[in-house]
Each structure stands twice: as C-alpha cells, then as structure tokens.
Amino acid sequence: MEQDRSDRLVAKGRVWYCRPGSNGAEFCQTGQKDSEPYDVTIIGAGVVGCAVAYRLSQYQVRVLLIDRNFDVGEGTSKANSAIIHTGFDATPDSLESRLVTAASRLWPQLAEKLKIPFDPISALLLALDQKQADQLGPLHQKALANGVDDVEVVDAAKARQLEPGANKNVRGGLLVHRESIIDPFTVSIAFAEVAVANGVDILFGSSVIAVEDANQTIKTIVDDNGHRIKARIIVNVAGLGSRAITQSHGGKLFDINPRRGQFLIFDKSHRGLVNRILLPVPTATTKGKLVTPTIFGNVLAGPTAEDLPPGDDTATFTTIEGLQEVHAAAARMCPTLDVLRPIATYAGLRCNCSQGSYIIRANDGHHGIVTASGIRSTGLTSSPALADYLIEQIVEHCGLSLRRDADARDSRPQSSWPGWCRRPFEDPEKIAANQDYGRMVCFCEQISQGEIIDALDSPLSPCTLDSIKRRTRVLTGRCQGFNCGVRIAEIISQHLGVPLDKITKRGPGTQWISSRLPDGVQPNGARAGGQP
Amino acid sequence: MSSVPFKEVKVAIVGAGPAGIGAAVGLAKRGVAPVLLVDRCSEGGGLPAKCHASRHGVPTFAVYTRSKVVHGRDFATRLLESLEGTSTQMSLETLVLDVDVAEKTLTLVNPARGKFSVSAEAIIFATGARESTAAERGWIVGARGAGIFNSMQLLELAGRHDALPGKNPAIVGSDLVAYSTAAKLKAAGADDVMMIDTTASPRAGRLVRLFFRRWVRPDWRGPTNLLEIKGHLRVEAISLGNGNKLPCDAVVISGQLQPNSELLVEAGLNVHPRHRTPVVGRGQKISSPGLYVAGNVLGGFHGAQWCYFSGKRAAKHVSTALLSG
C-alpha cells in the first residue's frame, strides 16, 4: 500500500474549477496574486493544448492551461473515431501529412510511457466493386509518397481471409500496418496529468472573452469569471472557439465551419465481427465511414461529414438521417451489423477551417501570440508532433528560451493504467488491501467502486459525471447507466462531500437532477405498515 | 441460509430476483443441495425490491396474491423470507464475469473474495431484463445533455433521495413500466407528464390505464416515429416527427425490456442477435446441457409472479434431470 501510494502521480501544479459566482476570487488569491505572469498560457485543453502543456512541462517555464469546460478534452477531442492514423492517405507534402506521419511513429512508445491503452491492429481498406479496386494502386502510390512504406495491396481471397465478417463481395484491399486504435479520452488526460505533476497550472470553467494589452510584452487575458490573467506568450489552440479569441486581439481572421460526425457504438458481444479497422475507398469529397473495433472492445461505425454553418459549436446532437446513413454504410462493409441495434450514439464536431487545415501562425497580429486552428480529425494522431512543432515556432519567433527541467517526468507510473484494462479485481493483494476493488458498480464494463474513487482522487481531481465516465468507463456499457447511474452519482457525492443535486454531468448548467422534493417529506422507506 | 464459501455446488443460480428465488425455493423443496444463489446487487429481491411504495402510495410495482395487492418491496421481502430455513447460500454483490459452458463453471467477483470460481452440475440463469437504451430504440436522437433518465434511475432517485428529475418530464414508452413511472413522477410533484411512443395508442392495456388514473393521466403525444431531444446543456424540449416542439425539462426513457442475455452471448450460446433472447428448448434448457433459464431473460415482459413460477418450473426440470443422472 505504501509503495503503491508513492507510485501515484502527485500534482505539483494547481488545478482550479471555476463555478458560477466564485468571481475568480479563488484563482486570484491563490493563483496569480503578487506572482509573476505566466511565461506561456495555453487557451484550450483539448488534445493539442494538453500535448503542448505536456511538452512544455519538460522545461523550466511557468505554464497555465485554460479551458471553458470542466475537464480536459471536453470539446472536439472527446468525439472522434479513436484511431491513430499513419497518414497514408493524406495530401503528400502538406504540414498535416508531415505531422501525422511523424506522430504515427512516436505513438507506440509514447502510449506505453503515458499508460494510454493502444493497439496497432492495422487497417484494411475494402474495395467493394471494380471501380474501387482500380483505385487501390493509386492509393498505394500515395501512401509511399507520404513515407508510409509498410502498405500492401491484397487480393479478394486474402481480404476475405483477413476479415471473415466483412462483405463477401470484396474485390480486393489495401492492408495498412500500424494503423492503430487508442483510448482517445486518456490521451488528453495523460498529457495533462504529467503536465500538472511537473508544475503546470490548469484553470477550468474559464471562457476567454478578451485579450487586452496584446501589443505589450505582458498581455492580459480576461475571462467570463472576471479573471485577469497575465501572460507573456499566448497559445491559442481553442479549437472551435479559436476564431473568437483571434478576433478579440485583432489577429488575422479565418472561418470555422464545424463539420459534424455521427457515430454508432455496438455492444462488446459483437467484437468478433471485425478484426481490424475497416475503411472504405475514399471518394473525392470524403474519407468515408469506417467500421472498427474500439480499444474498449466495442464495434464503432461512423462518421458522417456534415458541414454546419460557422459559429454553430454546440450542434453536437445526432440526427435520424445521420445515424441511418452511418448504419447503412456500416452494413455495406459488415453485413451482420444490419440486424444489430447500436447501444449508444454520439456526435462530434471537427474544427474545419475554410482556409485549409492546420493553420498555424506565430506572432499572429501581435508578438507573442501563436494560433493553431483547423486541426481536423487528424489532431488526435498529430498532437505530439504538432506540440513539438508549435514549441519550435514559439522558440524561434516569440523569443522563448527553454532550459530542460532535470526534475520533470515524462511518463506516468504503472498505477495510472485505466482500471478497465488492468482489472484490479484480478489481483488478490489489491482486494485484500481494499475490498472496494471487488465491489462492482458498473456491471456491463465490470468497474468497481475502488476504480471510481481512484479516478476521483486522480491528479486533475475531476468532479463531473462525464469526467468519471471517461476515466473509468462507467455509464458507457450496454445498459447506459440503467443499473449504475444513481450509484455513481452517490459515490461522487459521498466522496467529494457535495449534495446530489449539485452533481453535474459536465459543469455548471448541467446539474444532473433539477430539483429535490420539498423538505419535510418523509423518506419513502418509512411508510407506515410497510413490513408485514 | 448458510455462509461457508464453497467451490462446488449442485446448482448455481445467477440472479436473486423473483425467478432466481423461485428456482431456489423449488430446489430446496425437492431436496437439491447445495445451491448457490448469486446476485450482483447489494440486496436480493431483484427489481421489485427497488420499488418502494412512494408517498401518496403509488404502487410502482404491484402484485396480486390471494386477491390482495402487495407492493414491490413487500413482495421482495416475502420472497426473501421464503428462502430462510432453506440451505440455499446467497452471495450478494457478486458479479458473474464469465461462464465456462463445457465445465459448467462460473467466474465471479465480490468484495470479500475478489475473483473466484464455482462449478456446478447445473446452472440456472435468472438474469432478468433491463430497459432498452435510447439508441437501441432507433427513433430517439438529439442532444446528450443532463436530464435524460431511465425508470430505474427514477425509482432509485425517488426512493432513496426524494429527488425529482424534472417538473415537466416527457416519458418515452407507454407500457406498464411507463405508466407507473408517470404515476410516480406525478405523485412526486411533477406538473405535467407527457407520454410518447411509436404506437397509435398507449401500449398499456385499458385496465392498466384505468388503474393509474388515480394518480396520473399522461398527456398522450404519440404516435411518432422520431423524437429529437433539444438542449445542449440540459433537456429543454423535445421535437416530434410531425414537427411539434414540446418544452420539457427531463426525458425518461421507460419500459421496453431487453433480456440480460450477455453472459450467454459471451459464452457462445445461441442467442437471437436482434432481440437478444436465448434460444430455449424443452424444459427451459438452452443450447448447452446443464444450463437453464428462468424469468424475464426469456424475453417479453412478465410480472414478478410469473417469473417466480418460471423459476420454480426451472427447478423442477433441473431436479428431474439431476435425479435421472
């Protein structure tokens, strides 16, 4: 037990969650009062922002990470296809292609270091008619041009042998080794946890409304809680919110047309249907809808690609047309899916820029402001390489000098593996030390009370239902909270000492229950004459 | 009830709801022992045990025995009492992780013992059912903010916390479960309760509707083939297939039970892929010898009493099979 505890990550940086009415008092008192301005302030704790914080935390710089949500990776980063791409089908020589290809080679080691569940299961691009089969050659050439040399064209018989569950009319395929599946939630969490362990501060629930004194060396970021945050260098990686920030300080504007992707999740009992990521042959307009196993053991199908009007960054709802379109496309690739019903659906918005992908500007409008936007669906893959690239830009153009921090860690300890992949109940010693690891709360995903409490005590001290869901997998199974929904809210409420009606799904405005019964009402169990 | 942990039993029963208890009682009557009854919840009794009669006395779960109405929790208490004095060993907070069909061995986990296994000569699955999720129904789409519940969560919130999910809830589903949910919400202080389903009229029969009239007359807004949930942070409204937008502050996805047959699927047994019901042969046997099913896992929607007798029937088949060798 002693040893176990020293094996835990300890937060050196501070983490604040701003609630309405706090008016920034807590942050101003403990965070920035009388202290030096932050060297670098990163706006946006999505996967890119967290990766930048992680890489910067290896150096002796004071870094603050700000996000309007109540957890890392709450925006674009939480709803994607959870794949680490090789970049085999990117446009050769683009920045996106370079970063994706570079990052895809970093991931196997990085995932191991950061204890992110990761599996290089490879991908099979399926040609379902002759026209598509004719495209396999050119796609192979494109992969080679992108420096992805471990791709092979396979014939119909081989494709059927590799994927017995796929459409029997397959005419051939392109096998892409190294295409991998990953736990997308843990990516942002792991980056941020190491960053906080190395002294990076995080401010959640803080929506930036203006950047003042942008032309000065020390700039002021103003947020909706009334915080005035002093920063020398600002990195704007706010995803769908990045345009508003650029506009507020007078940088060169770009347009964001969110592109919605809807997904279907099928139950774990159907995991055997697909062995690897099944991709359709891309058309001129879209990469198409894939069918893939997830690292959690489900089958995932999607996404759609729906262009939404600019500024529509809350349109993360599903539509009947979108879901039916995905189901039909999935059934074309894997016919058995036709009769199955998904257990859950979700939709996410990709940060799609009309001016092109991966818009990166150092000294955007003013010295010391760096903007990165238009990071589309490849952001999850490219994040570590993109973070390095952004830091290079900052050093080169914004005059930041970096000295390594000898004490900084770049990995998470063994105890950080998510509970669902290390199954604490398998270990008799853990059960002997703490019976909570054998007290199952989530029956579908087999998650214990001990794992939920570990997640609540983890370095970012998460406090919302969704943040616990992403860390432990509770509420994500086939019953979608039928059995455990209330139990989980109770555990959070007890452990954090917060009343049940203050528990939120993902921050203020999302209180789980809207009201309690009036006081003075007898609890139901106390009904007279209840027991025979 | 004894409490010495053992590794081998004559019969293992998965699920201590009405069906599982029925099976245990039936086996005890026939002298089959030892019998292990496991349940993943912290109390036995299954779904009825979660149904406290709420204030204003809404009988969320009523069973008629000998022409008397018994509420869910009382029914569960009686069931559990009927087990006392038998040699059945009950293991609560015990989740079945895995079934080895050939060896007839269950892998289990609980707080006291961690992971362990028990082998048996016969296994009865009385795993019950759950409500379908919104996605499984196929006609419910939209935002995923706060304020979306199912009936079980509502029962627990009302029963344990006196909490009301919303003042103007919309109920999705219209069977008996949906009606009792609506009654509970209304009695707990909701103003208006809307009810929506795909069917031309509510699924619940006229008797059920009449019975619940005392507490609630839901505002029937069906039929619709589409329901969109609006509101990014919290539920604000629902929008139906005919274009009607109805303000509400909570959505309760209710009824339409799905069998809990996942253990059987994962063990490689024959289960209907869409309806998830196990393929059952004569004597409640499933495709592998020595395995039986009882209760709502068989599919459909049955009351606690039916499940209890289904368990008893399974016990009869099991004991006959065990005696004949």
Side-chain angles (χ1 to χ4, degrees):
Chain A
M1 205 57 198
E2 268 320 299
Q3 200 187 352
D4 197 25
R5 197 150 287 169
S6 65
D7 188 37
R8 296 252 159 103
L9 274 184
V10 180
K12 207 159 112 195
R14 285 156 298 182
V15 181
W16 297 274
Y17 288 87
C18 308
R19 287 177 181 82
S22 71
N23 223 3
E26 198 196 346
F27 173 71
C28 290
Q29 278 164 15
T30 58
Q32 241 197 339
K33 200 186 174 199
D34 303 327
S35 65
E36 273 287 289
Y38 285 98
D39 294 320
V40 181
T41 299
I42 304 161
I43 306 175
V47 66
V48 180
C50 293
V52 174
Y54 165 69
R55 292 293 211 217
L56 277 177
S57 76
Q58 308 298 313
Y59 303 95
Q60 296 178 13
V61 276
R62 276 193 83 221
V63 178
L64 174 71
L65 181 60
I66 311 180
D67 200 280
R68 61 182 173 188
N69 293 307
F70 265 58
D71 191 15
V72 293
E74 262 280 14
T76 299
S77 311
K78 75 175 173 190
N80 49 55
S81 49
I83 287 174
I84 296 298
H85 298 284
T86 51
F88 78 96
D89 58 347
T91 313
D93 293 327
S94 60
L95 177 63
E96 182 176 9
S97 154
R98 271 195 290 132
L99 293 175
V100 169
T101 322
S104 81
R105 299 198 185 268
L106 296 175
W107 268 111
Q109 257 194 323
L110 190 63
E112 183 61 37
K113 244 195 321 199
L114 292 174
K115 312 293 179 277
I116 304 169
F118 172 88
D119 192 359
I121 55 167
S122 79
L124 183 66
L125 199 114
L126 290 177
L128 294 177
D129 57 35
Q130 197 50 48
K131 212 175 123 202
Q132 293 182 349
D134 293 341
Q135 277 175 273
L136 294 177
L139 276 165
H140 189 196
Q141 292 306 314
K142 197 175 185 183
L144 293 176
N146 278 315
V148 184
D149 46 13
D150 46 356
V151 172
E152 49 178 306
V153 177
V154 295
D155 62 12
K158 173 89 179 175
R160 271 193 285 268
Q161 182 213 332
L162 288 172
E163 289 296 334
N167 193 327
K168 297 286 179 234
N169 296 326
V170 59
R171 297 296 181 89
L174 190 68
L175 184 62
V176 191
H177 301 283
R178 289 196 300 112
E179 287 268 314
S180 313
I181 53 175
I182 197 166
D183 170 357
F185 313 122
T186 304
V187 174
S188 306
I189 294 166
F191 282 143
E193 285 189 357
V194 179
V196 167
N198 289 334
V200 170
D201 292 344
I202 306 185
L203 183 61
F204 286 118
S206 156
S207 183
V208 173
I209 49 177
V211 177
E212 291 176 3
D213 310 324
N215 52 355
Q216 309 286 314
T217 322
I218 296 173
K219 307 164 209 323
T220 307
I221 298 168
V222 185
D223 79 357
D224 59 342
N225 294 295
H227 294 141
R228 299 181 65 81
I229 302 155
K230 303 271 181 223
R232 290 177 205 275
I233 293 169
I234 296 173
V235 182
N236 173 8
V237 283
L240 297 168
S242 57
R243 184 183 190 274
I245 291 163
T246 302
Q247 193 171 26
S248 81
H249 66 72
K252 191 174 166 207
L253 273 187
F254 46 88
D255 295 307
I256 294 176
N257 296 75
R259 183 171 288 165
R260 181 164 57 204
Q262 303 187 38
F263 293 87
L264 304 176
I265 304 170
F266 294 91
D267 186 45
K268 282 174 146 181
S269 47
H270 308 302
R271 167 66 178 85
L273 284 176
V274 279
N275 297 325
R276 40 180 74 64
I277 305 161
L278 299 185
L279 305 167
V281 172
T283 64
T285 48
T286 168
K287 276 168 96 167
K289 299 170 193 67
L290 51 86
V291 177
T292 175
T294 68
I295 194 94
F296 314 110
N298 303 92
V299 175
L300 175 72
T304 53
E306 306 155 62
D307 285 313
L308 303 180
D312 206 354
D313 58 357
T314 58
T316 52
F317 51 83
T318 55
T319 64
I320 195 87
E321 298 82 10
L323 296 177
Q324 282 171 353
E325 188 187 321
V326 172
H327 207 153
R332 266 199 300 282
M333 303 249 276
C334 187
T336 317
L337 290 177
D338 192 34
V339 294
L340 300 181
R341 286 180 289 193
I343 56 162
T345 58
Y346 65 89
L349 298 177
R350 326 199 207 9
C351 178
N352 180 51
C353 239
S354 328
Q355 281 78 9
S357 62
Y358 285 67
I359 297 181
I360 290 164
R361 297 180 183 138
N363 297 334
D364 183 21
H366 303 280
H367 187 264
I369 299 182
V370 180
T371 305
S373 192
I375 316 296
R376 304 182 307 177
S377 50
T378 50
L380 179 66
T381 304
S382 68
S383 54
L386 176 58
D388 290 339
Y389 179 79
L390 284 173
I391 292 169
E392 267 170 42
Q393 297 287 310
I394 296 169
V395 170
E396 202 173 311
H397 300 289
C398 305
L400 181 73
S401 56
L402 292 178
R403 262 189 309 142
R404 279 241 163 237
D405 181 353
D407 298 332
R409 64 183 306 157
D410 66 346
S411 63
R412 294 202 300 168
Q414 285 296 333
S415 64
S416 306
W417 282 112
W420 60 265
C421 71
R422 72 192 154 119
R423 294 290 177 216
F425 62 70
E426 302 267 1
D427 182 355
E429 275 176 38
K430 284 206 108 149
I431 298 272
N434 184 358
Q435 288 203 344
D436 275 354
Y437 289 117
R439 186 161 285 124
M440 306 314 267
V441 175
C442 167
F443 306 140
C444 305
E445 298 292 313
Q446 301 170 354
I447 307 299
S448 65
Q449 183 165 334
E451 289 156 72
I452 297 172
I453 289 173
D454 282 350
L456 287 166
D457 290 339
S458 67
L460 304 183
S461 38
C463 53
T464 63
L465 280 166
D466 278 3
S467 60
I468 296 305
K469 166 172 129 181
R470 286 193 290 271
R471 280 163 178 79
T472 60
R473 305 271 315 136
V474 295
L475 303 167
T476 61
R478 55 180 72 101
C479 85
Q480 294 281 299
F482 174 78
N483 290 306
C484 65
V486 176
R487 242 333 255 296
I488 287 154
E490 285 168 356
I491 293 170
I492 299 177
S493 160
Q494 276 162 18
H495 193 73
L496 301 180
V498 181
L500 200 69
D501 49 350
K502 295 278 192 303
I503 302 284
T504 64
K505 187 164 154 61
R506 47 172 199 258
T510 62
Q511 276 71 12
W512 197 50
I513 43 178
S514 62
S515 60
R516 288 176 79 88
L517 298 185
D519 286 341
V521 172
Q522 284 295 308
N524 294 332
R527 195 173 63 94
Q531 304 298 320
Chain B
M1 284 186 277
S2 63
S3 61
V4 192
F6 43 149
K7 282 187 167 164
E8 277 175 33
V9 293
K10 202 87 172 167
V11 182
I13 304 168
V14 184
I21 293 175
V25 169
L27 289 170
K29 215 183 239 172
R30 291 181 162 76
V32 179
V35 172
L36 176 68
L37 176 60
V38 298
D39 198 284
R40 53 196 190 179
C41 295
S42 55
E43 57 176 5
L47 201 56
K50 297 197 191 288
C51 301
H52 304 251
S54 73
R55 60 200 193 104
H56 312 304
V58 182
T60 339
F61 199 102
V63 183
Y64 295 89
T65 49
R66 297 194 189 99
S67 75
K68 272 177 76 184
V69 177
V70 183
H71 295 304
R73 208 175 160 72
D74 303 341
F75 184 74
T77 311
R78 288 189 195 183
L79 286 181
L80 290 168
E81 279 168 0
S82 68
L83 271 182
E84 279 167 23
T86 72
S87 64
T88 310
Q89 186 182 59
M90 185 144 84
S91 182
L92 294 172
E93 288 196 301
T94 304
L95 179 68
V96 178
L97 299 170
D98 187 32
V99 184
D100 184 329
V101 173
E103 300 288 321
K104 291 200 281 286
T105 300
L106 297 173
T107 309
L108 306 135
V109 61
N110 73 15
R113 296 175 71 182
K115 191 175 163 182
F116 63 104
S117 55
V118 171
S119 52
E121 286 176 39
I123 303 175
I124 301 174
F125 293 92
T127 44
R130 59 172 170 84
E131 292 178 319
S132 308
T133 67
E136 277 169 329
R137 295 176 199 228
W139 54 282
I140 304 161
V141 297
R144 282 159 53 96
I148 305 171
F149 299 87
N150 55 52
S151 310
M152 174 76 103
Q153 294 173 342
L154 191 89
L155 280 176
E156 291 186 295
L157 283 173
R160 289 214 290 267
H161 301 283
D162 272 337
L164 179 68
K167 277 289 210 191
N168 296 298
I171 306 221
V172 178
S174 60
D175 54 15
L176 173 65
V177 181
Y179 265 84
S180 72
T181 303
K184 191 136 213 168
L185 278 163
K186 184 77 182 174
D191 293 337
D192 290 308
V193 181
M194 285 188 282
M195 188 171 274
I196 301 109
D197 208 335
T198 50
T199 44
S201 60
R203 285 173 206 254
R206 184 167 297 179
L207 270 177
V208 170
R209 280 185 271 165
L210 266 174
F211 178 80
F212 284 107
R213 248 177 118 100
R214 207 176 121 198
W215 296 278
V216 69
R217 289 184 199 186
D219 185 4
W220 173 248
R221 296 294 189 143
T224 181
N225 52 6
L226 173 67
L227 183 135
E228 279 179 290
I229 299 172
K230 306 278 185 190
H232 181 57
L233 294 176
R234 292 198 59 84
V235 174
E236 288 164 8
I238 51 170
S239 157
L240 303 183
N242 57 14
N244 278 359
K245 196 174 170 185
L246 311 165
C248 62
D249 59 359
V251 173
V252 184
I253 315 272
S254 193
Q256 210 167 321
L257 299 185
Q258 284 269 323
N260 288 327
S261 56
E262 287 78 26
L263 277 175
L264 307 175
V265 177
E266 277 157 19
L269 296 166
N270 206 350
V271 173
H272 190 284
R274 189 178 172 96
H275 305 291
R276 312 188 69 92
T277 48
V279 177
V280 182
R282 281 172 64 98
Q284 288 176 246
K285 267 188 268 189
I286 41 183
S287 52
S288 181
L291 304 185
Y292 298 78
V293 282
N296 269 335
V297 69
L298 286 160
F301 174 30
H302 305 282
Q305 236 169 349
W306 185 91
C307 291
Y308 179 76
F309 289 115
S310 164
K312 278 197 144 175
R313 273 197 304 278
K316 192 178 127 199
H317 296 304
V318 170
S319 70
T320 315
L322 289 178
L323 284 176
S324 67

